Amino acid sequence: MTLTVINPATEAPLAELEQAGVEETDAAVLRAKSAFPAWRAVAPADRARLLRRLATLVEEHCEELARIESRNVGKPIGGARGEVGMVAQVFHFYAGAVDKHYGETIPVAGGEAFTFREPLGVVGLIVPWNFPLNIASWKLGPALATGNTVVLKPAELTPLSALRLAELALEAGIPEGVLNVVVGKGSIVGTRLVEHPDVAKIGFTGSTEVGRLVMSGAAGTIKRVTLELGGKSGNVVFADADLERAAAAAPYAVFDNAGQDCCARSRILVERSAYDRFAELLIDATEALKVGDPEDDATEMGPLISAAHRETVAGFVDGEPLYRGQTPAGKGFWYPPTLVAATNDDRIAREEVFGPVAALIPFADEAEAVRLANDTPYGLSGSIWTRNGARALRVARAIDTGVLSVNSNSSVRVTTPFGGFKQSGFGRELGMHALDGYSEVKSVFFSTEG
Ligand code: NAD
């Protein structure tokens, strides 16, 4: 079976690839299993050096990788460059973490007790199409740093950057078999990785729906799983905030990557007394967003990933929205930035749209803001805008979500933990926390008697 990879901005084919089936997946797992003993035995400083080299190669190939990502996902080239820059930083960070992931000594009677961090073995990494290389790196960095070998399954729609990264890993000197990329369907390759007895862990990023399948499939072999799933995050704007700043930033928090972002602040909760003023500012800021050719340096928003996804997104918008932007004419899976006035009970506020549609929802006071922010099955990220520091901290502690920012909409940093509460998943990526998800703690007692 061949797979045609498409540029969503032009609908032109980018590549024809052979798709793997169960047999090819099993072969990749076997390669990873065979490479594991030697990889775990690589001296920490040498493993660090190899990851450092990979980071440097990613930096040297930044423009090439960014072009691949921009064409395959339809994301603006400026953003794609930033993402590739982060991939390099991730490998630099985990190169530095290899020899800092310490065990402990624990006071016990009759001897000494130590803990060791052991690699898991072969880990299966399954990633989505919205930030293909970035999200792959968040898993690869800690997985490789802790001595695991990997089978990486990119999304069917966006396999190109992962394939190029695997070539760069070999060029960096990371041995054959340590990083294997298998291109194929989630229902075939993904399912096989989840069920394979020689795969010790699945690091999964994707929808909550598929996350559920991964979790239940993993039960058969008691596989470890990290699940980074969907979101419906709140951007909570109090009347005492710097409304101009909050409104200027809000479009980027939901229309970035054309809204195909698990951290999208797609519910903009605004204190009622500031609602009209904020809505006016937000519409102006959204109007200024540059939607167009992803290869143009000035573009801020590109198309959606596919025609089918555009149909799904369009299905969320009934009637006349508060604001609907423009899109280029002609080919490409375009959908305009759209603002909808809503309540938190509307479908647009309940379900993950994963497109450039934001729901504007009023609230009466702090208690209602917290109640509405938490009234969702998800808990991935969110923002709080206020000039009142005490309120910012109170609300930050009260919102059930894994990542929050105050007077900012940023979610992701190389050094800080990232992951969800509730049905947004569990486990943490990035920072030192991610290392725990790719290693087992072993406790050893050493008798000093006799
Ligand atoms: P998806 O769940 O459809 O697919 C994700 C990956 O899982 C793909 O590689 C796919 O091939 C694979 N897959 C599909 N069926 C499978 C199965 N039965 N078994 C194993 N693997 C299978 O998600 P998507 O449409 O690619 O991505 C969008 C979703 O990802 C959104 O819900 C978004 O919120 C979520 N996401 C979450 C994060 C996060 O960090 N929390 C980040 C990015 C995207």
Side-chain angles (χ1 to χ4, degrees), residues 164-188:
R164 186 66 186 113
L165 184 75
E167 291 172 356
L168 293 177
L170 285 178
E171 200 178 320
I174 294 176
E176 294 262 3
V178 171
L179 166 51
N180 305 274
V181 175
V182 181
V183 174
K185 286 195 186 336
S187 55
I188 299 173

Side-chain angles (χ1 to χ4, degrees), residues 251-334:
Y252 299 94
V254 58
F255 303 132
D256 195 34
N257 216 39
Q260 304 165 121
D261 182 345
C262 52
C263 292
R265 274 75 167 159
S266 54
R267 291 185 301 144
I268 306 178
L269 306 169
V270 187
E271 192 163 357
R272 192 164 277 121
S273 58
Y275 183 93
D276 289 343
R277 173 74 186 131
F278 183 84
E280 226 172 85
L281 291 166
L282 177 64
I283 289 171
D284 287 351
T286 307
E287 218 156 26
L289 202 71
K290 293 188 187 69
V291 182
D293 180 4
E295 306 229 22
D296 183 336
D297 279 341
T299 295
E300 295 173 308
M301 191 183 116
L304 293 172
I305 191 71
S306 67
H309 188 53
R310 178 172 57 187
E311 227 171 275
T312 309
V313 170
F316 278 94
V317 183
D318 306 319
E320 210 33 50
L322 197 59
Y323 171 81
R324 180 182 277 129
Q326 304 289 320
T327 59
K331 283 193 177 276
F333 310 124
W334 302 96

Side-chain angles (χ1 to χ4, degrees), residues 127 129-130 153 156 205-207 228-230 262 352 354 418:
V127 297
W129 46 259
N130 59 339
K153 193 203 93 58
E156 298 89 307
T205 298
S207 59
E228 296 287 351
L229 309 176
C262 52
E352 187 181 39
F354 224 56
F418 174 77

Side-chain angles (χ1 to χ4, degrees), residues 1-5 16-25 153-157 159 182-189:
M1 270 186 307
T2 55
L3 172 73
T4 306
V5 183
E16 295 274 335
L17 302 173
E18 276 306 307
Q19 288 204 76
V22 168
E23 215 175 287
E24 290 81 5
T25 309
K153 193 203 93 58
E156 298 89 307
L157 294 168
V182 181
V183 174
K185 286 195 186 336
S187 55
I188 299 173
V189 175

